Amino acid sequence: MKKIISTPLTSKVISGIKAGEMLFLTGVIFTARDQAHQRLCRLLAKGQKLPVELKGQVIYYCGPAQTPKGKIIGSCGPTTSRRMDEFCPRLHKAGLAATIGKGGRSRQVREAIKKYRGVYFLTYAGCGALISKYVRSVKIVAFPELGPEAVRRLEVKDFPLIAAIDCQGRNIFPEKEK
């Protein structure tokens, strides 16, 4: 049976997600990578308002390729999640519900996901052109000067995911860090 979840993610939805489960996401997600994460955390440290509301939201670690003529978005596959690990706990504390990327996460991120009752999803790496087909609309909402790393608001339908770390701390990756 196809399990579809929608944003914003509620605590009830998050608590029903189990590590290893395949799901499909419909709703709004935000793209953000290294530079955008650094800026968001800087704003939080200064007590300033963020350009996007994080409560119940999902950040996709992605910097889309240039949009081909006649398309909504260019290739938009996931980037390596560990590059955002230093920022992730702070964003979860601020209300972020979930992240989407590729690869394992640090012990600090795993602990933050459990503490703040979030979830970490994987999506299919190497399939950016295919993944772009699940995007219904795109709009830059913050830091346009960052080009591909600007924060974008994507409306997605049936976006394919695998729960890698659930809110109980269960993890599909072997834990090398203690």
Side-chain angles (χ1 to χ4, degrees), residues 14 22 30 38 48-49 53 60 63 75 86 89 94 98 100-101 115 118 136 143 156 168 175:
I14 290 170
M22 292 188 66
F30 295 93
Q38 187 175 52
Q48 296 177 332
K49 185 173 170 37
E53 171 60 49
Y60 179 30
S75 180
E86 70 178 284
I100 304 169
K115 179 178 181 178
R136 300 297 181 242
F143 317 130
V156 299
Q168 300 295 316
E175 293 187 25

Side-chain angles (χ1 to χ4, degrees), residues 108-128:
Q108 292 82 3
V109 171
R110 295 189 311 265
E111 289 170 358
I113 288 169
K114 188 174 178 181
K115 179 178 181 178
Y116 298 111
R117 310 277 304 152
V119 65
Y120 169 55
F121 296 112
L122 303 174
T123 195
Y124 305 103
C127 301

Side-chain angles (χ1 to χ4, degrees), residues 2-29:
K2 186 174 179 177
K3 183 172 181 178
I4 299 172
I5 57 173
S6 299
T7 60
L9 297 179
T10 64
S11 57
K12 182 178 179 181
V13 168
I14 290 170
S15 59
I17 296 169
K18 306 294 180 234
E21 186 174 29
M22 292 188 66
L23 310 108
F24 297 89
L25 178 70
T26 294
V28 171
I29 62 176

Side-chain angles (χ1 to χ4, degrees), residues 129-140:
L130 174 64
I131 289 172
S132 71
K133 295 180 185 311
Y134 299 100
V135 177
R136 300 297 181 242
S137 71
V138 60
K139 178 182 178 184
I140 294 177

Side-chain angles (χ1 to χ4, degrees), residues 14 45 49 52 61 64 77-78 80 91 99 102 107 123 128 143 158:
I14 290 170
K49 185 173 170 37
V52 295
Y61 301 142
T80 304
L91 297 177
T99 55
K102 69 177 183 181
R107 185 183 82 251
T123 195
F143 317 130
D158 293 340

